[in-house]
Amino acid sequence: MKTVTITSLLAALTLVFSAFNWVSPSVKSKPGNSKNTVQYSNADSIQSIWTPKPFDNNETPKKIPLEYTVRPVQGHSVTEESLQNATSISEVIPNYPSKWIEHYTSVEIASTLNNQTVKVSGPDEKLTSAQKELFNSATVSTNLDITVHFTTENNITKKMDPQQMNVLLSVVPAVNASYYGGYKIMIEYLKSETQSVVSNLEITRGKPLEILFFVAPTGDLDQVSLENSSGNTEVDAALIEVISQMPKWKPALTANGTPVKQQYLFILGLEGC
């Protein structure tokens, strides 16, 4: 019985060693040495499996490149011509939900240009004479904030609940201001002028540097101001200087070809954000 058990145990061990591709150690004698040295022919393969790759402390993490963006400052765009021809707010607000707004409380229109705001209210979606006058006076870069107050029936209580909808419209020119040579050339210019300044700049995700500026009817850039800091005052000042010193642009144009002022936003943030 003992012989059978020992035989079975040896057979099991043989299978285990075979599964791990075990190679029996060979015994070699070094010349002049009475002791034998045991060498395993598969030692390297065992070490490669069980020894982890050492961490390289000198490895430099990849830096996410900065992305340059320049775009007009605007909400939902609307032209001067559309405002002048409008008789209701539904004609200038895209996809206005006329069908499910039945009970109006009031409609307020606030017109803002150069930090000056004028507000005019009406009873419903149809424009009053004062609201039409406000629309007619709106020029390029004017922001129109339309607030609609209304009520809807609550399906549970059957009472009329107050609701509010806000829409921001920006009066845009027929032709946007543009950089001579095109957008790609402008971005290349900005990168070349700011590379030394931003080379070591660290910008966190979700908090890009933002600079506002106007393209005047002459094509000059003015009213350059910091909207959101990079966190480094020296970098902020240097980039404001670069924007201020940019070459002239082609100014924005109205439908009749008149040059007008237009506001733009320069954004410097992490690529892909």
Side-chain angles (χ1 to χ4, degrees):
M1 187 69 178
K2 290 183 179 180
T3 303
V4 174
T5 304
I6 293 173
T7 303
S8 301
L9 179 60
L10 289 175
L13 289 174
T14 302
L15 289 174
V16 171
F17 290 141
S18 299
F20 283 96
N21 194 25
W22 183 264
V23 178
S24 299
S26 59
V27 181
K28 294 184 179 180
S29 296
K30 292 185 179 180
N33 190 351
S34 60
K35 295 183 179 180
N36 294 328
T37 302
V38 179
Q39 294 182 342
Y40 293 90
S41 60
N42 67 336
D44 291 339
S45 62
I46 295 175
Q47 184 178 9
S48 64
I49 294 173
W50 295 105
T51 304
K53 182 180 178 182
F55 178 76
D56 186 1
N57 292 324
N58 296 322
E59 186 177 352
T60 304
K62 292 182 179 179
K63 189 174 183 180
I64 302 175
L66 294 175
E67 184 173 32
Y68 290 66
T69 305
V70 180
R71 61 172 177 78
V73 176
Q74 60 189 50
H76 292 291
S77 60
V78 62
T79 62
E80 292 177 302
E81 184 179 7
S82 297
L83 291 174
Q84 292 167 2
N85 294 331
T87 58
S88 71
I89 59 173
S90 61
E91 296 173 26
V92 294
I93 297 177
N95 303 314
Y96 185 77
S98 299
K99 293 183 179 180
W100 57 266
I101 298 182
E102 298 179 355
H103 306 282
Y104 286 88
T105 304
S106 67
V107 174
E108 181 183 82
I109 302 175
S111 174
T112 303
L113 181 64
N114 297 329
N115 295 323
Q116 295 183 349
T117 302
V118 178
K119 296 180 180 180
V120 180
S121 295
D124 51 37
E125 67 175 303
K126 293 182 179 179
L127 298 174
T128 64
S129 57
Q131 289 174 329
K132 287 182 180 179
E133 185 178 344
L134 195 64
F135 272 15
N136 290 332
S137 64
T139 58
V140 173
S141 294
T142 298
N143 290 321
L144 297 168
D145 190 358
I146 302 177
T147 304
V148 181
H149 298 277
F150 60 99
T151 58
T152 56
E153 185 180 26
N154 188 303
N155 292 329
I156 298 176
T157 64
K158 301 304 179 181
K159 294 181 179 180
M160 302 301 290
D161 291 338
Q163 305 288 340
Q164 179 177 313
M165 179 179 70
N166 289 84
V167 179
L168 178 64
L169 299 177
S170 297
V171 184
V172 298
V175 179
N176 283 330
S178 60
Y179 186 82
Y180 282 101
Y183 186 82
K184 184 178 179 180
I185 299 298
M186 174 183 61
I187 297 300
E188 290 176 356
Y189 167 83
L190 290 172
K191 286 183 177 180
S192 65
E193 292 295 314
T194 60
Q195 186 174 11
S196 61
V197 179
V198 303
S199 58
N200 295 320
L201 180 64
E202 294 185 1
I203 294 180
T204 58
R205 292 184 181 275
K207 291 185 178 181
L209 165 75
E210 294 181 343
I211 297 176
L212 288 169
F213 63 92
F214 279 90
V215 180
T218 59
D220 295 305
L221 274 60
D222 59 17
Q223 294 179 251
V224 182
S225 62
L226 183 66
E227 179 72 5
N228 189 50
S229 174
S230 66
N232 186 312
T233 55
E234 292 183 2
V235 171
D236 294 344
L239 289 173
I240 288 174
E241 182 66 18
V242 169
I243 298 294
S244 301
Q245 298 300 321
M246 284 183 71
K248 282 189 175 183
W249 286 35
K250 296 178 183 178
L253 302 174
T254 62
N256 60 11
T258 303
V260 289
K261 178 188 289 188
Q262 186 178 16
Q263 190 176 34
Y264 270 77
L265 179 67
F266 167 71
I267 305 171
L268 180 65
L270 295 179
E271 193 172 83
C273 294

